Amino acid sequence: MRQVKKLGLLGTGVIGGGWAARALHFGIDVVAADVKPEMEDWIRGAVRNAEPALARLTLAPLPPKGKLTFTTDLCAMAREVDFIQENIPEQLELKQRVLGEVSQEAPPDVVIASSTSGLMPTDLQRAMRAPERFLVAHPFNPVYLLPLVELVGGERTAADAIDAASRFYAHIGMHPLKVRREVPGHLTDRLQEALWREILHLVNDGTATTGELDESIIYGPGLRWAAMGTNLIYHLAGGEPGMRHMLRQFGPCLKWPWTRLEAPELTEQLIDRMVEGTQAQARGRSIRELERLRDDCLVDIQQVLRRHDVGAGATLRALEERLYEENARATGARISDQAGGSIDAPLKLIEVQVRPEWLDYNGHMTDSRYLQVFGDATDALFRQVGVNDQYRKSGRALYAVESHMTHTAEAKVFDTLSVNTQLLSVDEKRVHLFHRMHRASDEVVVATAEQIYLHVDAAARKASSMDASVHARLDAVRAAHASLPAPAQKGRHIGMPRN
Ligand SMILES: NC(=O)c1ccc[n+]([C@@H]2O[C@H](COP(=O)([O-])OP(=O)(O)OC[C@H]3O[C@@H](n4cnc5c(N)ncnc54)[C@H](O)[C@@H]3O)[C@@H](O)[C@H]2O)c1
């Protein structure tokens, strides 16, 4: 199977648009194909709408964005891409026909995946050429922010195709969940639908409104579901003895007819209640406004979960780790390759754009963000010399013990800033460095930071010697920087006159 540089999308509606936004953001080119030419404007708009939330998801260094092209020629798309994601309407015969046609054009080492919410892969691959490269890969809306993608093979799917797809989805920041065998609705939609059927019953018989039922989720189970699923949460509900006790205590209730499996009939009255209920909940806000609110919350929730390395936050953390590592490898060659003499100038470590939420009430980048950007630059340097996740997991880390910042010019929204770093001194336990933050538009220095880091054994909570190879790489940079002029701000204390 191929390495995916260009993704083909078959059908560019809600789900196709979401795939496009996610893939482009993580550096994959996208060829979007739809029978309706007017979908070109639509998908470009969908990608634009996704950008503000995606831009906030991570500060890790991203590859250059992918390029989006559009065509109504599905077969031409199939001939030029490395991976195809099908997102046309949920109709078996239509999908079978289109997948059959497209598979004639796509080389056999091109994986073809369907976003179907519930159709079975064995049925979908019937009319295909090389059906072993086909699988279902079911994402969730908004595809650009939710990491889950369910992978389901059919009778003729090869394990290789599922593995290749899994690698690709992980590469674009997703959590591939391999479903052991095909069942209608896969896993997640079966669970969602069980809840949804009960909601329809409770609204239908007048027990609750749509708003009350949503409250029953968002103030309670919904909050814990993001960190732990139903099963682990119920394990906790059993107290010390866990799930066994939980089942003994609440198991008998399962025989009571609390919930119903058959959905109620969708009468006009029930439809009206559902529509009026959700309109009341929307309180006049448009779908776009609600989408923005949803997206902002989804980004923030994932960032909080990342701190705890749990669920979608763990996926985000793994993605960032890879992005930082790739970036370190791209620039790190300079540090391990000291003989080349290419480290004899301050190292350009990171480049970031000032985000709107980084501004203070005067419209300037707020103080704490300067420290964050300098911290990211230090992190990039340390990764380049070998202080990565694995090193930290061994219980060793470099802690900031002193920082002195100066502000020399303004940084405004969407300014591109880069940080150049000069290594002033290093010994086995200490690193002393000096950062300059430049505004890319005019190369003016907007801020500087002088920092000292101490190498610690995190478990013993004591200063300790760094790994010899880390020290050697840092020392090579120090030696190369020894002939650079000392920064004017070096060693200054607060309030010192500038001259
Ligand atoms: N909407 C969701 O929340 C969601 C979530 C997960 C998966 N899915 C699945 O994704 C698929 C697409 O759903 P959607 O909500 O994006 O639908 P949609 O109606 O928004 O988009 C479908 C697109 O397919 C195009 N199309 C129709 N026939 C075509 C053809 N023959 N060739 C190429 N393009 C064609 C349409 O012009 C349209 O742009 C479905 O299988 C659905 O089950 C949807």
Side-chain angles (χ1 to χ4, degrees), residues 202-208 210 268-278:
L202 292 169
V203 172
N204 195 38
D205 59 25
T207 307
T210 60
E268 283 308 314
Q269 190 193 30
L270 174 53
I271 293 171
D272 285 347
R273 279 188 191 172
M274 293 300 296
V275 171
E276 283 157 20
T278 42

Side-chain angles (χ1 to χ4, degrees), residues 139-161:
F140 292 81
N141 191 32
V143 181
Y144 51 90
L145 289 181
L146 293 187
L148 181 62
V149 54
E150 294 177 304
L151 307 189
V152 200
E155 280 166 16
R156 300 169 73 186
T157 305
D160 274 4

